[in-house]
Amino acid sequence: MIVVTGGAGMIGSNIVAALNAAGRTDIVAVDDLTDGTKFRNLADLAISDYLDKDEFLALVERDAFDKIDVVFHQGACSATTEWNGKFMMEVNYAYSKKLLHFCLGRRVPFLYASSAAVYGGSAEFREEPEFERPLNVYGYSKKLFDDYVRARVFPTEHSPVVGLRYFNVYGPREAHKGAMASVAFHLFNQVERGEDPKLFGAYDGYGPGEQSRDFIHVGDVADVNLWLWRRGISGIFNCGTGRAQPFRTIAETVIASLGRGEIEYVDFPDHLKGRYQSFTQADMSRLRAAGYNGTFRDLETGTREYVEWLKAHPSS
């Protein structure tokens, strides 16, 4: 049996899809379906059971499960604009610690979602504490759990534990994320509504649309997760492409793919000033040194694929 928490979320459901493609359907998806629209992310996938996140944790605390092959812990509050620190720490930190210790006690491989948000105000993106400067409580919750793993787990003999610092993930099954969905998703929908795609104007030393991120397709993220699990590797790894590309590239690719639209630049919003990463680029040395030689889609290819997927799945 395989457990995927956040299984109805974007990354979790794509991990389920990758497991299905590999022939695995004995999957327990764990999530919170208070937002019932997320069911769409699982509707076309094969799982053996679904559990609410609170019910699942209660079963974990009672040690009620038989053999589990691996836990992909993707469940989290991922809203960088959420400032309820008590809620964030309960969901992202305390819950993760309980599940981690269950897996360590049962020697179950545990792969969890960290985030590039731990780097925040840093100009370097290497998996070292000196570069970790979160700008919001979400990034702090992820950094704190990484610190916990480094201090409490890695110095001891343990079953495989992996933290993946996701950079800017885009791709299928993210419609439920609303404002937190990727720029590619929002620009596609703007053009489909007959609007011009909108990007931020000049800010932080970058020209209009030139703020750059390391954008990684969610299919590549799922591939990295499965590869690390199958090799029993432990560590905290960046999960990006190693290439920063400007937001303008996404807009231009969406326009070219749909055959209409012209980029419109808007003033950078005051509420994001000082809390925004204008540039990210994952240092992928550690993952490559671990043996991962998979390729990553460039932004143009990934965006074109995603546009075609969105055209075929208009409600997703």
Side-chain angles (χ1 to χ4, degrees), residues 2-138:
I2 294 173
V3 173
V4 182
T5 73
M10 178 192 186
I11 296 175
S13 61
N14 277 278
I15 289 174
V16 173
L19 289 166
N20 283 176
R24 296 295 295 262
T25 59
D26 54 332
I27 302 165
V28 175
V30 176
D31 213 304
D32 177 353
L33 282 182
T34 299
D35 175 6
T37 64
K38 292 196 296 184
F39 90 91
R40 297 189 187 98
N41 289 341
L42 291 171
D44 62 338
L45 304 177
I47 61 174
S48 62
D49 202 0
Y50 170 86
L51 291 172
D52 178 81
K53 71 180 185 66
D54 295 331
E55 180 185 5
F56 173 68
L57 186 60
L59 291 170
V60 163
E61 291 174 334
R62 297 205 306 268
D63 199 15
F65 292 99
D66 293 326
K67 179 173 171 50
I68 298 175
D69 293 335
V70 59
V71 171
F72 293 100
H73 179 40
Q74 309 301 303
C77 174
S78 58
T80 57
T81 54
E82 175 60 67
W83 286 99
N84 183 334
K86 184 177 187 297
F87 171 76
M88 189 72 75
M89 298 307 289
E90 286 174 353
V91 172
N92 289 5
Y93 186 60
Y95 193 105
S96 298
K97 286 197 296 182
K98 291 175 182 177
L99 189 50
L100 167 68
H101 285 290
F102 167 79
C103 289
L104 291 171
R106 298 285 296 269
R107 302 199 66 78
V108 174
F110 179 74
L111 290 85
Y112 70 91
S114 183
S115 172
V118 302
Y119 299 116
S122 179
E124 292 192 56
F125 306 92
R126 288 194 284 122
E127 305 93 329
E128 301 294 345
E130 59 263 36
F131 305 120
E132 295 162 11
R133 302 168 190 168
L135 295 173
N136 49 52
V137 70
Y138 164 70

Side-chain angles (χ1 to χ4, degrees), residues 98-311:
K98 291 175 182 177
L99 189 50
L100 167 68
H101 285 290
F102 167 79
C103 289
L104 291 171
R106 298 285 296 269
R107 302 199 66 78
V108 174
F110 179 74
L111 290 85
Y112 70 91
S114 183
S115 172
V118 302
Y119 299 116
S122 179
E124 292 192 56
F125 306 92
R126 288 194 284 122
E127 305 93 329
E128 301 294 345
E130 59 263 36
F131 305 120
E132 295 162 11
R133 302 168 190 168
L135 295 173
N136 49 52
V137 70
Y138 164 70
Y140 178 69
S141 73
K142 292 297 187 179
K143 169 182 160 48
L144 198 62
F145 188 65
D146 284 349
D147 287 344
Y148 186 88
V149 169
R150 285 189 288 214
R152 304 291 186 91
V153 178
F154 289 165
T156 64
E157 194 278 329
H158 57 88
S159 48
V161 175
V162 172
L164 280 171
R165 290 182 170 173
Y166 299 138
F167 277 66
N168 278 67
V169 183
Y170 68 97
R173 306 177 193 270
E174 63 168 330
H176 66 281
K177 296 178 68 175
M180 299 307 298
S182 72
V183 171
F185 176 83
H186 288 297
L187 298 186
F188 170 85
N189 282 292
Q190 287 169 12
V191 175
E192 283 290 273
R193 292 194 300 266
E195 304 171 14
D196 284 328
K198 298 171 181 61
L199 295 178
F200 291 147
Y203 173 71
D204 199 24
Y206 293 85
E210 290 298 317
Q211 295 90 2
S212 299
R213 300 280 183 88
D214 191 331
F215 297 97
I216 180 168
H217 190 280
V218 70
D220 294 333
V221 169
D223 289 346
V224 171
N225 272 274
L226 267 60
W227 185 88
L228 286 164
W229 163 46
R230 288 165 176 157
R231 282 153 184 80
I233 291 170
S234 287
I236 293 173
F237 302 96
N238 284 337
C239 189
T241 66
R243 298 186 301 271
Q245 294 186 259
F247 286 94
R248 177 177 46 76
T249 298
I250 303 173
E252 290 172 347
T253 305
V254 169
I255 289 169
S257 297
L258 294 177
R260 60 189 186 277
E262 183 177 340
I263 299 174
E264 176 185 340
Y265 295 104
V266 300
D267 291 341
F268 193 90
D270 288 339
H271 73 276
L272 288 180
K273 291 178 179 177
R275 298 174 177 172
Y276 185 83
Q277 290 172 292
S278 295
F279 178 91
T280 65
Q281 181 169 281
D283 183 324
M284 298 299 292
S285 303
R286 184 173 291 184
L287 185 64
R288 294 302 191 189
Y292 189 75
N293 61 4
T295 58
F296 298 105
R297 295 167 177 84
D298 60 52
L299 187 55
E300 295 88 342
T301 300
T303 301
R304 282 195 298 270
E305 288 182 14
Y306 187 26
V307 167
E308 292 306 309
W309 190 90
L310 286 169
K311 287 162 63 177

